[in-house]
Amino acid sequence: MGLVVALGLIFSVLFYFTAGQISFLVFKQYNYELFIQLVIVSVFAETIGGFFIYLLMTQEKSHHTVALSATGAFINLLLNVLFVGYLKYGIFGIILAQLISNIFLFLVAIKFIAYKIVVGIDLQLLRRIILFSLPLFWANLFTAGNNIADRFILNGLMSTGEVGLYSFSYRIAMIMGIFTMAFASAWNPRAIRLFNEKDFAGSFGFTLNKLVALGMVLIISVTFFIGILFDLQAFGITLLNPAYKSGLVIIIPVMFGYLFKGLASFYSLYPQASGKSYHILVSDLIALVVNLGLNFLLIPHLGILGAGIATLCAFFVSALYLFCISAPHIIFSYRKKELVLIVISSTVVLVSGILVGSTLFSGILFLLYLAYLYKFTGVTGKVQL
């Protein structure tokens, strides 16, 4: 803990007071100094808060981990709607929302484990941590690039209007990101323990199917009903600004992209359990290269939809790489019949609702779909992971 705080403070202070020079080096002007300083403070708060979250994960306190992660992400989503949707702060609003939600996460998380903090450094443990985490450091940088590169490319190839439109709808689609983040937080520590105990053959297949099913429920529900929020009013104010409604075209590809990110988390077990964390670095690097390439290729022709498709393809290849790496080592019983039923039924329901375009029809279809999942697929049962 002491090392994390010390290194975080050193680099944060260094970058904070050189933000002007960084702004000029990157953007050829000093106007972005405050923007960069906010990013630095936000990253520091996220680093410390994330440390506590991962500590809770290692203790398999899944309820605390999921609650904190999901609450922080939800606050971030609401603040983005406020700052970007209503106050029109643009990219500055996105960073400000991230900063506030990270500070919240830090302040709440520290209460759970402050009594367990011990000052001291174990050099042997430190060496092992550095060797394992160094690839993850670069992987996280590539992930950050994946998350923001499309905005800068849109800004360069289109306009700031498209950036605002894309960012607003992207934050709505991040409901799937909240879900997959919560899944990874709860699943990874338990999965590593089961893997080390050689006790995973039965539960892994069930967990995979449940991840896919719940992910599809989210995609279908958001696709069917998000448009209603642009029409509802409270005290004369529309809940979501109708000016952003045309951006909804990206929601399906971005949500599918984050579902594949959840699958990537599922298949990241082998690199984590075996100590070969460089595979996670490779997967994120591949995703970044694909994302950048497709953004430049698709945005001039498809606009913001091209950026959404690029996100989908990037996370898909990341998940595919980790699947290919892990499959020979993580051998478990796939519940193939259930998985096929989930995929086919979800596709039929999603496509039917989009084609018909009726809210009433979509509502009835969605309820029938939930009943079908409950009765026939088996993913609503309980399992001891």
Side-chain angles (χ1 to χ4, degrees):
M1 176 64 193
L3 180 66
V4 173
V5 174
L7 290 179
L9 279 174
I10 291 172
F11 285 109
S12 296
V13 170
L14 175 63
F15 290 133
Y16 184 91
F17 287 106
T18 58
Q21 289 73 18
I22 296 173
S23 174
F24 184 79
L25 181 65
V26 176
F27 303 105
K28 305 302 180 184
Q29 52 184 310
Y30 292 99
N31 296 348
Y32 293 93
E33 180 177 4
L34 177 59
F35 174 82
I36 293 173
Q37 288 174 335
L38 284 175
V39 171
I40 292 167
V41 176
S42 176
V43 169
F44 176 72
E46 183 176 15
T47 300
I48 305 302
F51 177 86
F52 294 139
I53 290 293
Y54 276 103
L55 182 56
L56 290 171
M57 287 171 59
T58 60
Q59 297 171 350
E60 296 190 19
K61 294 183 177 179
S62 57
H63 291 89
H64 292 96
T65 303
V66 172
L68 286 173
S69 300
T71 302
F74 185 68
I75 290 174
N76 181 272
L77 174 63
L78 293 179
L79 291 174
N80 268 277
V81 172
L82 173 64
F83 293 148
V84 179
Y86 287 106
L87 300 180
K88 307 295 190 300
Y89 285 174
I91 295 179
F92 178 79
I94 296 173
I95 298 301
L96 187 59
Q98 191 71 38
L99 171 62
I100 295 173
S101 59
N102 285 339
I103 291 175
F104 164 82
L105 186 65
F106 165 73
L107 293 176
V108 175
I110 194 173
K111 292 184 178 180
F112 285 95
I113 59 167
Y115 66 94
K116 294 186 177 180
I117 297 176
V118 177
V119 178
I121 297 177
D122 185 330
L123 294 179
Q124 184 176 2
L125 178 61
L126 176 61
R127 178 178 177 275
R128 292 171 56 194
I129 291 174
I130 292 175
L131 291 176
F132 181 81
S133 62
L134 188 58
L136 298 181
F137 168 79
W138 292 104
N140 285 331
L141 289 182
F142 295 147
T143 298
N146 257 320
N147 290 334
I148 65 173
D150 43 17
R151 276 76 157 184
F152 288 100
I153 298 173
L154 272 170
N155 191 47
L157 298 179
M158 306 290 288
S159 70
T160 55
E162 277 75 14
V163 175
L165 201 64
Y166 180 80
S167 298
F168 185 83
S169 295
Y170 195 100
R171 290 298 170 176
I172 295 175
M174 273 300 295
I175 293 173
M176 179 64 77
I178 296 172
F179 166 67
T180 55
M181 178 178 61
F183 165 79
S185 298
W187 168 248
N188 287 343
R190 184 69 61 87
I192 292 174
R193 179 177 63 79
L194 292 175
F195 177 75
N196 291 332
E197 295 174 356
K198 310 298 182 184
D199 183 26
F200 59 86
S203 61
F204 276 30
F206 179 90
T207 301
L208 175 63
N209 287 4
K210 200 157 192 175
L211 170 63
V212 174
L214 293 177
M216 291 306 304
V217 167
L218 271 180
I219 292 173
I220 292 171
S221 59
V222 172
T223 302
F224 282 3
F225 306 119
I226 188 62
I228 298 175
L229 299 181
F230 288 89
D231 301 320
L232 292 178
Q233 292 189 349
F235 306 105
I237 301 175
T238 306
L239 293 182
L240 294 181
N241 192 334
Y244 290 97
K245 195 170 184 178
S246 60
L248 296 182
V249 67
I250 74 161
I251 282 184
I252 290 179
V254 172
M255 289 191 75
F256 268 109
Y258 275 94
L259 178 56
F260 282 118
K261 187 173 178 63
L263 293 173
S265 297
F266 181 85
Y267 284 107
S268 68
L269 169 61
Y270 172 69
Q272 295 185 71
S274 64
K276 297 179 179 180
S277 57
Y278 61 86
H279 284 304
I280 298 176
L281 166 63
V282 173
S283 72
D284 286 339
L285 175 59
I286 293 173
L288 178 61
V289 172
V290 170
N291 197 5
L292 290 174
L294 289 180
N295 268 296
F296 282 111
L297 180 65
L298 297 178
I299 287 176
H301 304 287
L302 300 176
I304 62 173
L305 177 59
I309 294 173
T311 298
L312 166 61
C313 295
F315 287 136
F316 170 76
V317 296
S318 174
L320 181 62
Y321 173 81
L322 289 173
F323 167 77
C324 294
I325 292 299
S326 298
H329 306 281
I330 311 292
I331 301 174
F332 59 91
S333 301
Y334 285 89
R335 299 168 66 152
K336 296 179 182 177
K337 181 180 178 180
E338 292 174 4
L339 185 59
V340 170
L341 288 175
I342 292 167
V343 172
I344 293 177
S345 62
S346 301
T347 303
V348 170
V349 169
L350 180 61
V351 173
S352 299
I354 293 173
L355 291 178
V356 174
S358 165
T359 302
L360 178 61
F361 174 82
S362 296
I364 295 173
L365 187 62
F366 183 67
L367 292 176
L368 292 174
Y369 169 67
L370 293 179
Y372 172 82
L373 288 180
Y374 180 82
K375 186 174 181 63
F376 294 106
T377 64
V379 297
T380 54
K382 293 183 179 180
V383 66
Q384 182 63 39
L385 296 181

